[in-house]
């Protein structure tokens, strides 16, 4: 654990730290059993960035929100190398990942 960070597990954490949301359907849904836990975590990080993009008004011509989250940022946030980070993005973007579903 990083020095200077302490989790007391008595309820104060919810006010002290930002949290990453991961849809329950992604965790427990049968359609997503084959998706790795690491890819689900990355999805939560992307979802968090999507909220930020929406607040900044970053939409394309069709009104879809676009996310600015570089591969380098993904690698740094998850402490993965290029190949692992790319593999997780590909896993999420395939028809067998989350690409075919809208939450």
């Amino acid at each position: 654990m990083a020095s200077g960070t302490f989790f007391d597990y008595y309820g104060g954490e919810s006010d002290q730290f930002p949290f990453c949301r991961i849809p329950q359907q992604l965790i427990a849904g049968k359609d997503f059993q084959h998706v790795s836990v690491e890819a689900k975590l990355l999805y939560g990080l992307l979802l968090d960035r999507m909220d930020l993009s929406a607040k900044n008004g970053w939409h394309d011509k069709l009104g879809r929100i676009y996310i600015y989250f570089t591969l380098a940022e993904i690698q740094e946030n998850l402490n993965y190398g290029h190949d692992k980070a790319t593999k997780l993005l590909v896993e999420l973007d395939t028809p067998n990942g989350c690409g075919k579903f809208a939450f």
Side-chain angles (χ1 to χ4, degrees):
M1 187 178 311
S3 63
T5 302
F6 177 71
F7 296 103
D8 62 17
Y9 302 105
Y10 293 105
E13 301 88 35
S14 63
D15 296 332
Q16 296 175 351
F17 304 103
F19 287 87
C20 183
R21 296 177 301 140
I22 301 173
Q24 286 288 331
Q25 182 65 18
L26 191 60
I27 295 169
K30 292 184 188 250
D31 289 328
F32 303 105
Q33 289 177 341
H34 62 281
V35 178
S36 71
V37 173
E38 293 163 315
K40 292 174 184 181
L41 177 59
L42 176 55
Y43 186 93
L45 293 174
L46 291 167
L47 187 61
D48 186 56
R49 286 293 179 109
M50 187 178 78
D51 287 344
L52 182 61
S53 294
K55 288 177 185 173
N56 286 324
W58 295 349
H59 299 86
D60 66 11
K61 292 179 182 180
L62 299 175
R64 298 174 297 194
I65 298 170
Y66 64 90
I67 302 168
Y68 182 78
F69 197 23
T70 67
L71 187 56
E73 289 174 307
I74 293 169
Q75 290 173 238
E76 182 178 335
N77 276 260
L78 294 176
N79 198 29
Y80 289 146
H82 178 270
D83 292 346
K84 178 70 173 189
T86 301
K87 178 182 174 238
L88 294 175
L89 285 170
V90 169
E91 181 180 352
L92 288 175
D93 198 35
T94 62
N96 288 331
C98 299
K100 65 181 176 181
F101 294 96
F103 291 100

